Amino acid sequence: MDIMQIVAVGIISGVLSLTIKKQVPEIALLISIAAAVLIFFMVLPKISAIFGVLDGISARIRGDLGFIGTLIQITGIAYIAEFGAQICKDAGEGAIAAKIELAGKVLIMAASTPIIVALLNMITQVLV
Amino acid sequence: MEISVVFQIAAVGILVAVLNQVLNSAGRSEQATMTTLAGVVIVLLWVIHYISDLFRTVETLFQL
């Protein structure tokens, strides 16, 4: 049922944005941004439910490396970076979009280094 | 955050577009530019409010 609403919102916003793209392109872009934010808020309850389940699972694992929290952070960084990059592409600013994606990748690498280090330590312990 | 927000923004956009055409045909193109600018600024302040809501929600949700 939800997907129908989301697709309806997307199509309506697309058509509205197109009607005024020729006269006032700026507001057309703002309409697409508002639609993107609206669709995210429509999906939000499902996301928080999934993260609740993930936290439940990670609580049950004994040697918790905290990687579930980092996974969630990486997902957040990836989502916001993609959100910004896509909007910049819509506005025709491909260069800015590429820079945003680069920053996203760097931040994801920064967030994931603790896990990589923990993994390597675990492997060396097993081998030695 | 409802669908009505998108409709209100579209309404402002269409109003600005029509005003633009009317003012241009009346020969006052500088006023047309001013109304376009005013419309864009109003809608931008409106959308920025929702974008900051989104960022705050994402921060709390994704523990960033």
Side-chain angles (χ1 to χ4, degrees), chain A residues 6-112:
Chain A
I6 289 169
V7 169
V9 164
I11 289 172
I12 291 168
S13 317
V15 170
L16 284 175
S17 171
L18 197 61
T19 48
I20 55 171
K21 196 173 262 309
K22 249 175 276 325
Q23 284 87 7
V24 195
E26 300 85 0
I27 296 189
L29 178 71
L30 287 167
I31 286 180
S32 67
I33 294 175
V37 171
L38 174 61
I39 287 176
F40 175 76
F41 277 118
M42 288 167 95
V43 181
L44 189 63
K46 301 291 192 300
I47 295 177
S48 54
I50 289 168
F51 284 162
V53 169
L54 271 181
D55 287 345
I57 291 170
S58 78
R60 245 181 280 121
I61 296 171
R62 279 187 329 285
D64 179 49
L65 295 171
F67 63 88
I68 292 280
T70 314
L71 272 183
I72 291 176
Q73 270 182 359
I74 288 174
T75 320
I77 295 173
Y79 168 71
I80 284 294
E82 193 269 338
F83 178 84
Q86 207 57 43
I87 285 171
C88 286
K89 276 198 195 103
D90 278 1
E93 303 293 340
I96 300 177
K99 293 302 161 287
I100 291 178
E101 274 163 16
L102 169 73
K105 289 183 186 117
V106 166
L107 288 174
I108 285 175
M109 273 306 291
S112 61

